[in-house]
Amino acid sequence: MSSLSLQKRLAASVLKVGKNRVWMDPNETNEISMANSRQNIRKLVKDGFVIRKPVVVHSRARVTRHLDAKRKGRHTGLGKRKGTANARMPLKVLWMRRQRVLRRLLRKYREAKKIDNHLYQQLYQASKGNQFKNKRVLMEAIHKMKGEKAREKALTEQAEARKSKAKIKKERKEAAKAAAAPAAESS
């Protein structure tokens, strides 16, 4: 049996694949060994004595299964970690996410007129200064601040009412005094 390395090389070139993907009919070895040009190889391909093998399957089933397990939290213990915690999930990314969440909430509240521009600015700077660790804490702070503002407003209004009441009382007293004084002078 003659070596068919020349034919294999030519067939690979003609079929535009690697040598491993060229199949030559073992029953037609004599016919194939006679072919010594690309033209002859093309004829053999046409006759079906030389065939391009299909691509070998490279299954991702195991990979998919492993990734599904990882999504559930398997295979992620200390022994499986190579990078630092910061390399695996950068602090900067976490910070950016948190800032975006907080700023989105502040914008939403300002547009809905739940907070005024002054309070917005104050809370914006506070969130930039790492005062709020999450959305819930920021919302609680907003409610607290709004409550304090309302309380202050109510107190000032009460004080004003008390002042005006006292003023009216004083004026009445003075008017009564003034009315009483001429009566005492005449008698």
Side-chain angles (χ1 to χ4, degrees), residues 93-114:
V93 171
L94 294 173
W95 168 260
M96 286 181 344
R97 276 186 197 164
R98 191 162 90 224
Q99 286 305 302
R100 284 171 186 172
V101 166
L102 298 179
R103 287 173 183 179
R104 201 177 301 128
L105 179 75
L106 286 174
R107 256 200 319 275
K108 198 173 93 178
Y109 272 25
R110 184 179 59 177
E111 281 162 13
K113 297 280 190 287
K114 287 186 181 176

Side-chain angles (χ1 to χ4, degrees), residues 159-175:
E160 284 293 321
R162 219 175 281 126
K163 264 188 200 168
S164 61
K165 207 176 183 185
K167 200 176 184 185
I168 290 167
K169 200 175 182 185
K170 193 179 178 187
E171 283 171 3
R172 206 177 287 141
K173 221 179 214 179
E174 281 174 4

Side-chain angles (χ1 to χ4, degrees), residues 131-142:
Q131 296 270 316
F132 313 115
K133 70 172 183 176
N134 55 35
K135 197 168 157 181
R136 179 179 55 79
V137 173
L138 175 59
M139 283 167 90
E140 283 171 8
I142 290 170

